[in-house]
Amino acid sequence: MPEQFPAAAPQPAGILDRLRGHLIVSCQAYPGEPLRGPVHMSAMALSVLAGGAAAVRLEGPDDVRAVRAATDAPIIGLWKIGDTGVYITPTLSAAVEVARAGADIVALDGTARPRPDGLTLAETIRRLKEASPVLVLADVSTVEEGLAAEAAGADLVSTTLAGYTPYSRPGPGPDLALVADLAAVLTVPLLAEGRIATPDDAATALELGAAAVVVGSAITHPQSITARFARRTSAVAATTEEGTRV
């Protein structure tokens, strides 16, 4: 085993059973935002777990490490490096760091696009599992990518990247058609993620065959939540003001 790999930790029992049929909440803040950092994300994670989330999805080893110290709830960890191309846990070394920080599941880009370290998806998954008993979640954008990720050794597949690759279907809402299509062909659990904005969206994804649903901004991003309310109230205010001008 290469020296940079951490010693393997015991695989948490029943992780997939703890997720099935439940809500996973993505607790992330973008660089420069007030909530960025492990202190705030730990508080956010504990809050959503108290509200009924079965697990959390966290970005960066620091956030994973902080939340791991505060709860034994399942953690999906990732590390965004860059913001174009393959940037969700783009290298084997990044995946190993996320595992070392305490993630139960490591999420990584599950597309066929070139990875910065030159490894294939299958090589990355194989070597990560040799280093640690973590489960691997492949974030994909198409049915073909989901099937390829399963063949490459991914333990779970997620629709996270639907609409965020140049060749996948864009849209303002979740790609529920992709959820249904993947659920029909995969043998590993499918997570529905991406632009799920309402409880009805989440329920529909489960009804279409997703094993669990991941919700992020609609719960944990105050800026975008506030902006929706502000746009609506501003529109009413503008209409009211216009109506008073006679």
Side-chain angles (χ1 to χ4, degrees):
M1 182 181 297
E3 291 183 0
Q4 71 269 25
F5 286 168
Q11 171 67 49
I15 291 296
L16 295 181
D17 289 338
R18 293 172 70 180
L19 301 183
R20 198 175 298 277
H22 292 293
L23 171 68
I24 301 164
V25 176
S26 181
C27 301
Q28 300 182 43
Y30 296 105
E33 292 184 344
L35 292 181
R36 180 78 169 182
V39 172
H40 298 305
M41 285 299 102
S42 293
M44 184 73 77
L46 293 175
S47 295
V48 301
L49 290 169
V56 290
R57 176 170 165 131
L58 304 167
E59 193 276 318
D62 289 344
D63 286 4
V64 171
R65 192 174 296 110
V67 176
R68 177 78 297 151
T71 180
D72 64 357
I75 293 175
I76 300 173
L78 63 140
W79 194 357
K80 292 179 179 176
I81 301 175
D83 56 10
T84 58
V86 175
Y87 65 89
I88 297 177
T89 324
T91 64
L92 175 62
S93 61
V96 168
E97 286 300 316
V98 172
R100 178 183 288 129
D104 302 297
I105 301 170
V106 175
L108 43 75
D109 184 298
T111 72
R113 296 176 294 179
R115 307 179 72 82
D117 58 8
L119 296 177
T120 65
L121 177 62
E123 289 169 337
T124 300
I125 293 174
R126 176 179 60 79
R127 293 178 62 179
L128 176 58
K129 288 185 174 184
E130 288 172 354
S132 174
V134 293
L135 300 174
V136 177
L137 168 63
D139 291 339
V140 305
S141 65
T142 66
V143 170
E144 293 75 18
E145 288 173 348
L147 288 170
E150 179 181 48
D155 300 290
L156 308 90
V157 169
S158 178
T159 59
T160 311
L161 291 173
Y164 298 104
T165 58
Y167 46 82
S168 59
R169 291 187 293 255
D175 191 340
L176 294 173
L178 178 61
V179 172
D181 291 344
L182 278 169
V185 296
L186 291 176
T187 61
V188 297
L190 171 68
L191 305 186
E193 180 175 7
R195 302 184 301 280
I196 295 176
T198 69
D200 285 344
D201 287 342
T204 299
L206 290 175
E207 291 165 355
L208 290 173
V213 177
V214 183
V215 179
S217 295
I219 295 175
T220 60
H221 194 245
Q223 290 92 323
S224 57
I225 297 169
T226 303
R228 290 192 295 112
F229 281 90
R231 284 193 297 270
R232 187 71 181 96
T233 54
S234 295
V236 172
T239 301
T240 302
E241 182 179 346
E242 185 65 28
T244 61
R245 294 175 184 171
V246 180

